[in-house]
Amino acid sequence: SMEKGMEEVVRGEEYEGVLEKESLVVVYLWASWSEVSRKVREMMQNLAKEFDDVCFVEIRCEMMTELVQALEVRNVPHCIFIKNKVVVDELEGAVYLDRNRSQGR
């Protein structure tokens, strides 16, 4: 079927390619050991089918440890929203990141 799901990023270069896209990009980070992140992944897959003009990308954390560290992801599920190559928002777990605190690392 032509139904569009989430693209999986399995190499660092693929993530670089994601950043070049013109559309809104939703990067979803999950891990197989996290039950909540597996459940949210099902929701994300449904959203990916629903919104044709949004690029949904998934990163499985245990497969991409270097990238996960570079992105400073400390918790799953984690969502990064990218528009015109700029991160416009991040969601960590079910809580919005406090950007002021996160910059003080």
Side-chain angles (χ1 to χ4, degrees):
S1 76
M2 291 298 293
E3 215 171 51
K4 180 174 81 70
M6 285 196 290
E7 299 173 34
E8 187 173 9
V9 167
V10 291
R11 292 195 312 278
E13 309 88 87
E14 290 179 342
Y15 187 75
E16 299 298 318
V18 162
L19 296 177
E20 296 300 310
K21 291 180 186 287
E22 296 298 315
S23 63
L24 174 65
V25 181
V26 178
V27 181
Y28 180 65
L29 294 102
W30 67 286
S32 58
W33 46 261
S34 162
E35 189 184 351
V36 66
S37 80
R38 291 201 312 268
K39 286 197 172 120
V40 174
R41 180 174 179 250
E42 290 172 25
M43 289 165 42
M44 299 299 276
Q45 285 171 320
N46 290 331
L47 288 172
K49 293 167 189 165
E50 216 172 303
F51 294 96
D52 287 335
D53 50 347
V54 179
C55 174
F56 283 82
V57 177
E58 64 174 320
I59 296 172
R60 186 170 158 189
C61 290
E62 59 262 50
M63 314 286 277
M64 296 291 297
T65 48
E66 281 181 32
L67 179 59
V68 167
Q69 285 171 352
L71 294 173
E72 294 194 352
V73 172
R74 287 165 169 62
N75 209 341
V76 288
H78 190 101
C79 224
I80 304 171
F81 299 87
I82 300 166
K83 182 81 183 163
N84 299 326
K85 305 171 193 175
V86 176
V87 173
V88 291
D89 210 349
E90 288 193 60
L91 282 168
E92 185 175 20
V95 188
Y96 276 97
L97 283 177
D98 177 339
R99 269 176 214 74
N100 299 328
R101 267 209 323 255
S102 66
Q103 283 165 2
R105 283 196 192 87

